[in-house]
Amino acid sequence: MIRLTPWRHPLSATVTVPGDKSLTHRGILFAAVASGVSRVTGWLDAQDTRSSLRLVQQLGVEVKELTPETLVLESPGLFGLREPEDVVDCGNSGTTIRLAAGLVSAVPGLTVFTGDVSLRKRPMRRVLEPLASLGVRSLARQDGYAPFAVAGGPHQGGTVEMTVASAQVKSSLLLAGLSASDPLTVREPVASRDHTERLLAYLGVPIRVTGTTVTVEPVSRVDPLDFAVPGDPSSAAFWAALAALLPDSRLYLPHLLLNPTRTGFFQVLERMGASVRSTVVQTAPEMVGDVEILPGRLTATRVTAEDVPSLIDEIPLVALLATQAEGVTEIQGAHELRVKESDRIQVTADILSRMGAAVEPRPDGFRIEGPTRLKGAEIDAHGDHRMAMLAAVAAAIADGETVIHGAEAVAISYPGFMAQYAQNAGR
Ligand code: S3P
């Protein structure tokens, strides 16, 4: 439990955020696919990415070096991975469990997956069913929840039409495609983050992307990877929201991942009236750059299904900004938020309503009327890292004290968040 009081000053700072979570997971999993010694620098060391690390170790990957900056892994390669001796516990990490379900289709024998209380309530049919259409056998609990088991072995390619825009599902299938007997094509309804495609191409895997259709060819061997992870825009978004909400702020966020499939939040922030300036410093394999945020008068906006994948994890922050914006903000097409680490539509609406905002949860989003003054309240983060950080940002502009229960959940994606928050708040 933590107690927070409002900030009485702007956020005028340079904030360096930890490495991107999605890219760190992929760095670790692709190091397992590659044969030999791979290096991932700037990695995110957090509970979620440790779940991916444990998984690859159970599959026979050796950790050669682990420092706050560098991770060096040695793998026998995709076709040398071995059946885990015990159940693989993926903790809270949806990315680990879903991507690994596809990866282990190449591993002879049985891989049994489980996770924490939240992960065991998240839908897994969305990966197990399309994997089954390729001939990958699995068994899951009723309703398709973990624990589930995947039996590795021969399977084919083909074409899969995805029904949800999900990078986790797409990536799981593409990983299974690497060990299929023929090419695999995956089609998404709306483009989701494309890190897997970019990294596979960077590794020299034959992969073609046309619009929202991706085709990957089977491989016999993948060369080791040497990959630098830039800062996580989803972690940076909490600071960007703080700067947009605290008058006279000036925030500088150096070296962020600026892949266009991830920067929807910055676009919405700008649309709502903040000033967002970015300078690109690298374009391949991922776009990287520095971002500067200045506050402005906030006005309501509309977020639609097409926008959603590029800011899926940041939508709760848009809801918070909307409580301080002039007019009615509507967020639609975001039903996926209901099956994240918590039901983020309900939990966000509960947090903001308790703090005095006019928020109406909808099956696929929110209707928010602003501006309203927020007041401190007692908040339950529901074990969800992003809900705890959302409440901390809201507390900075609320009147009175805010108490957050379950704030330790931030360690899932951003272990240093509360220390950095206290340092900037105490200025
Ligand atoms: C992720 C994809 C998103 C996102 C999650 C990380 C990834 O999930 O919410 O935090 O690394 O591929 P979905 O692909 O299920 O939307």
Side-chain angles (χ1 to χ4, degrees):
M1 184 190 82
I2 54 161
R3 291 174 186 280
L4 301 174
T5 48
W7 292 28
R8 311 241 174 256
H9 55 83
L11 171 60
S12 289
T14 294
V15 176
T16 304
V17 298
D20 185 69
K21 180 156 85 69
S22 289
L23 288 182
T24 301
H25 280 300
R26 286 162 176 77
I28 293 168
L29 295 174
F30 294 173
V33 168
S35 301
V37 179
S38 290
R39 175 191 304 273
V40 183
T41 54
W43 71 297
L44 166 71
D45 186 358
Q47 280 176 14
D48 250 23
T49 48
R50 288 272 176 168
S51 291
S52 282
L53 201 52
R54 261 196 323 271
L55 157 90
V56 299
Q57 285 178 288
Q58 284 184 262
L59 292 170
V61 173
E62 212 183 303
V63 177
K64 298 293 238 187
E65 185 184 332
L66 190 160
T67 66
E69 178 55 25
T70 307
L71 194 56
V72 178
L73 303 175
E74 182 165 17
S75 174
L78 182 60
F79 300 103
L81 296 175
R82 58 158 196 255
E83 176 187 69
E85 284 173 14
D86 200 353
V87 173
V88 178
D89 185 351
C90 299
N92 191 250
S93 178
T95 306
T96 306
I97 202 167
R98 294 205 178 106
L99 268 62
L103 172 76
V104 302
S105 64
V107 181
L110 200 70
T111 305
V112 185
F113 294 96
T114 191
D116 68 7
V117 63
S118 150
L119 195 60
R120 292 194 311 268
K121 278 190 230 138
R122 297 184 63 189
M124 296 299 148
R125 273 198 190 129
R126 53 178 59 200
V127 286
L128 300 180
E129 282 178 357
L131 285 172
S133 76
L134 311 181
V136 179
R137 289 174 304 141
S138 63
L139 265 182
R141 277 168 62 213
Q142 293 185 53
D143 299 322
Y145 293 139
F148 66 83
V150 175
H155 55 278
Q156 68 271 1
T159 300
V160 177
E161 303 279 350
M162 289 171 48
T163 48
V164 278
S166 161
Q168 292 179 353
V169 176
K170 175 177 62 177
S171 303
S172 182
L173 289 164
L174 294 175
L175 283 169
L178 298 179
S179 58
S181 55
D182 47 341
L184 170 69
T185 297
V186 181
R187 214 167 277 141
E188 285 194 284
V190 181
S192 64
R193 63 192 69 187
D194 63 355
H195 308 310
T196 296
E197 297 89 308
R198 282 172 186 268
L199 268 180
L200 287 177
Y202 179 63
L203 285 171
V205 171
I207 184 160
R208 269 192 322 280
V209 181
T210 326
T212 53
T213 302
V214 191
T215 301
V216 70
E217 304 214 1
V219 292
S220 53
R221 186 185 188 281
V222 173
D223 285 336
L225 116 137
D226 191 347
F227 179 57
V229 178
D232 194 324
S234 300
S235 297
F238 294 99
W239 299 105
L242 264 170
L245 291 168
L246 292 162
D248 304 320
S249 291
R250 183 180 213 108
L251 172 67
Y252 191 66
L253 296 159
H255 208 68
L256 286 190
L257 170 68
L258 292 181
N259 179 318
T261 62
R262 293 287 300 282
T263 51
F265 176 72
F266 293 116
Q267 281 155 23
V268 170
L269 195 57
E270 199 165 26
R271 204 152 87 201
M272 293 181 83
S275 150
V276 180
R277 251 184 309 180
S278 56
T279 321
V280 173
V281 297
Q282 177 195 304
T283 53
E286 287 285 1
M287 202 184 272
V288 178
D290 306 326
V291 177
E292 190 187 43
I293 313 276
L294 301 176
R297 211 177 73 82
L298 294 177
T299 53
T301 191
R302 196 185 173 83
V303 175
T304 62
E306 275 66 45
D307 304 321
V308 165
S310 70
L311 75 163
I312 183 71
D313 295 333
E314 292 72 68
I315 289 173
L317 280 170
V318 176
L320 168 61
L321 290 164
T323 70
Q324 303 309 304
E326 188 75 44
V328 174
T329 292
E330 295 209 48
I331 301 174
Q332 296 166 339
H335 30 256
E336 275 296 299
L337 286 183
R338 296 242 178 232
V339 290
K340 294 292 176 187
E341 288 84 326
S342 67
D343 175 345
R344 286 186 179 157
I345 291 181
Q346 197 54 53
V347 178
T348 298
D350 287 349
I351 291 174
L352 298 177
S353 305
R354 283 181 80 87
M355 297 182 86
V359 181
E360 190 191 307
R362 298 259 175 91
D364 68 337
F366 306 88
R367 180 187 185 277
I368 300 142
E369 229 176 297
T372 46
R373 273 216 71 83
L374 297 187
K375 55 180 195 311
E378 199 155 336
I379 301 297
D380 180 355
H382 288 267
D384 185 333
H385 52 127
R386 297 199 200 280
M387 294 295 98
M389 291 186 275
L390 171 77
V393 173
I397 58 155
D399 296 327
E401 188 184 69
T402 295
V403 177
I404 308 174
H405 295 275
E408 62 282 354
V410 300
I412 289 165
S413 67
Y414 197 163
F417 178 77
M418 284 302 172
Q420 265 176 314
Y421 181 100
Q423 197 186 0
N424 284 291
R427 232 171 247 198

